[in-house]
Amino acid sequence: MVGRAIATKLVRLGHDVVMGSRAATSEAAAEWVASTDGRGAQGTFAEAAAHGEIVFNCTAGAGSLEALGQAGAENLAGKTLIDVSNPLDFSQGMPPSLFVASTDSLGEQIQRTFPDARVVKALNMVNNEVMVDPARLQGDHDLFVAGNHEGAKAEARGLLESFGWPPGSIRDLGDLTAARGMEAYLLLWLRLLGTFGTGYLNIKIVT
Ligand SMILES: NC(=O)c1ccc[n+]([C@@H]2O[C@H](COP(=O)([O-])OP(=O)(O)OC[C@H]3O[C@@H](n4cnc5c(N)ncnc54)[C@H](OP(=O)(O)O)[C@@H]3O)[C@@H](O)[C@H]2O)c1
């Protein structure tokens, strides 16, 4: 869902996108390619990562390290890697818990495993439709980014602005340790979903 939403937005913005999957012949990816009037392509995670100047990790958190391993460290080196994943553990049913929290995060695990990639945690706190169409929600609301590489954050910021996020709404939380809180927010997000009956919500910082 997330990969499809982001890839569709990128294609609409004129980018040349390859959707990666475990199987190069993924039916879901083929269906997405068919919807792009020939402007999108599909491939293995390695082919997608090799193709991209910027890489989005939109894989299930439990499979993210494996998926990025398949993408290949050499195909991620030097690139901005925008990590949208959440470390959700569904093994005990619903609601999920987190398989990493508090003193570490999946974003940091990804950065440690692929030290030459430039990981930026972003977009993981909003639903996939809001990611690429923030105006879908009424009023002002905020999006957080975190990462150890200023240049990568600037690159991510440019893309997020092109998605429709107002510059003043993109809040830089500093280095990648901020991903701990951004990922743990999912525990609250799941409760908000249950309380308000909708995932079309976000938060706004007031001071
Ligand atoms: N859904 C949302 O609105 C939303 C919002 C914020 C953040 N997120 C986060 O964004 C990520 C994607 O969410 P999603 O809802 O689009 O779908 P998802 O079902 O969580 O993930 C689908 C993707 O993960 C890959 N994948 C799953 N298990 C894998 C494994 N063991 N090894 C390698 N790859 C694996 C799939 O590969 P194949 O194509 O090969 O099947 C597919 O590319 C998740 O981490 C989620 O927590 C989701």
Side-chain angles (χ1 to χ4, degrees):
M1 272 194 297
V2 174
R4 188 181 176 110
I6 291 176
T8 298
K9 183 74 172 191
L10 289 168
V11 160
R12 285 190 187 141
L13 290 168
H15 297 281
D16 182 12
V17 181
V18 176
M19 170 89 72
S21 308
R22 282 168 286 190
T25 53
S26 157
E27 274 181 36
E31 193 185 301
W32 172 75
V33 171
S35 75
T36 67
D37 294 329
R39 288 178 293 163
Q42 71 181 110
T44 61
F45 286 134
E47 287 165 341
H51 173 86
E53 292 169 4
I54 295 177
V55 177
F56 282 86
N57 173 35
C58 310
T59 58
S64 285
L65 289 174
E66 195 181 330
L68 290 167
Q70 290 169 20
E74 68 283 7
N75 293 323
L76 301 172
K79 294 180 182 176
T80 295
L81 170 56
I82 300 177
D83 175 33
V84 182
S85 68
N86 283 308
L88 299 179
D89 177 355
F90 293 95
S91 63
Q92 305 301 315
M94 291 295 283
S97 58
L98 304 178
F99 63 76
V100 54
S102 187
T103 55
D104 198 6
S105 63
L106 182 54
E108 290 167 278
Q109 290 185 344
I110 291 170
Q111 183 67 84
R112 283 199 301 276
T113 309
F114 303 96
D116 295 331
R118 305 188 308 160
V119 177
V120 178
K121 192 88 200 181
L123 294 170
N124 68 304
M125 293 172 58
V126 289
N127 117 352
N128 63 89
E129 289 181 49
V130 176
M131 289 178 193
V132 296
D133 185 14
R136 207 174 181 306
L137 305 184
Q138 293 174 23
D140 294 340
H141 54 104
D142 288 329
L143 186 78
F144 301 108
V145 297
N148 300 339
H149 302 268
E150 295 305 320
K153 281 194 284 194
E155 200 168 26
R157 178 180 279 276
L159 268 182
L160 295 170
E161 288 178 18
S162 74
F163 285 6
W165 290 93
S169 299
I170 303 171
R171 311 285 196 149
D172 185 347
L173 297 182
D175 68 54
L176 203 51
T177 58
R180 299 172 191 182
M182 292 168 68
E183 294 173 3
Y185 168 73
L186 262 290
L187 301 176
L188 175 60
W189 188 90
L190 288 161
R191 180 57 66 128
L192 295 174
L193 173 70
T195 301
F196 296 102
T198 178
Y200 294 95
L201 51 81
N202 194 14
I203 55 179
K204 165 78 185 160
I205 299 303
V206 291
T207 56

